[in-house]
Amino acid sequence: MSKETTQSQSTIDPYEYLQIIPNPDGSITRKSNLPIRPATPDHDPANNIPVLTKDIIINQSNNIWVRIFLPYHDHQSTSNNNYKLPLIVHYHGGGFIDFSPDMIAFHIFCSNIAIELQAVIVSVNYRLAPEHRLPAAYDDAVEALHWIKTTQEIWLQKYVDFSSCFLMGDSAGGNITYHVGLRAAAEVDHLLPLQIRGLILNQPFFGGVKRTDSELRLFNSADLPVCATDLMWELSLPTEIMSIAIQRWRVGQQKC
């Protein structure tokens, strides 16, 4: 008997682990209530803020917005010359079902990246599943690129080198980065003057029907149990794809 037959023996409640409650209408209630950090668009010498941040709404109906991170010292120096900074477009993690760019962990991460790499960061808020299943997040991520290439937002127009753009994401954001990279490659001319120079995938969230060795070995891991990732895929994938995946998984089980 294959060791994959043990995969149904989860000892963890994925809903409790992810701090979500399923609702009858197919939505979820998110209980995490993780702290957020407000944007700081104005320099405060008393606090010596090294990065300025600003929130801009792109598409209000879909709640697509971005948080821009501008290194303050470069904000000063570039105002006196023509030197411009590379651009990193960041897509946050959260299994496609949770979180936003103003979460304190992502805010600090992007602030540090802006300082360490001396780059302008645009962190994108995209629609979440299951209320908006994939490819909604991919669509929103691409829409953000088209907004960047046409916006008159002063921080981007004045300080960004649009010919030096990188896409970056962690976890689900890494998955989004990969798919957005494929779309960007197919419409290079339509994104000009924005030029994508590379992708940065930080522990990207990918999955498949067949269990990997690490999934079997760490099935009930306290860090990220497989039942939780299964649930995130179940909530985020289009319903028709989920049906196919479940059928293939059941066929695989019958062959064990």
Side-chain angles (χ1 to χ4, degrees), residues 7 88 158 179 201:
Q7 62 191 358
I88 297 176
K158 192 171 184 179
H179 284 278
L201 309 182

Side-chain angles (χ1 to χ4, degrees), residues 219-233:
F219 191 77
N220 286 312
S221 169
D223 294 326
L224 184 59
V226 172
C227 63
T229 59
D230 282 353
L231 180 57
M232 288 189 286
W233 286 121

Side-chain angles (χ1 to χ4, degrees), residues 98-171:
D98 209 351
F99 307 148
S100 59
D102 56 0
M103 241 187 63
I104 192 166
F106 294 123
H107 179 95
I108 293 174
F109 174 77
C110 288
S111 295
N112 290 338
I113 291 293
I115 297 169
E116 293 283 339
L117 301 183
Q118 291 300 286
V120 175
I121 315 295
V122 174
S123 187
V124 181
N125 188 73
Y126 50 85
R127 285 173 292 175
L128 299 176
E131 296 83 359
H132 305 282
R133 291 176 176 267
L134 295 173
Y138 303 152
D139 295 339
D140 296 349
V142 173
E143 183 174 347
L145 293 185
H146 284 278
W147 174 81
I148 290 170
K149 78 163 191 174
T150 58
T151 184
Q152 296 303 306
E153 163 55 42
I154 186 62
W155 283 10
L156 300 186
Q157 285 295 318
K158 192 171 184 179
Y159 303 113
V160 164
D161 177 3
F162 288 93
S163 69
S164 184
C165 176
F166 297 82
L167 308 182
M168 177 175 68
D170 47 277
S171 190

Side-chain angles (χ1 to χ4, degrees), residues 202-230:
N202 181 16
Q203 296 184 313
F205 183 38
F206 294 111
V209 174
K210 182 177 175 60
R211 296 294 190 206
T212 65
D213 289 341
S214 61
E215 285 178 318
L216 293 169
R217 185 175 68 256
L218 303 171
F219 191 77
N220 286 312
S221 169
D223 294 326
L224 184 59
V226 172
C227 63
T229 59
D230 282 353

Side-chain angles (χ1 to χ4, degrees), residues 8-36:
S8 61
Q9 300 172 3
S10 177
T11 60
I12 300 171
D13 180 348
Y15 287 95
E16 183 62 30
Y17 178 88
L18 295 173
Q19 297 187 59
I20 59 175
I21 300 173
N23 299 319
D25 63 357
S27 65
I28 58 174
T29 298
R30 298 163 178 85
K31 302 189 297 179
S32 56
N33 292 321
L34 295 174
I36 62 174

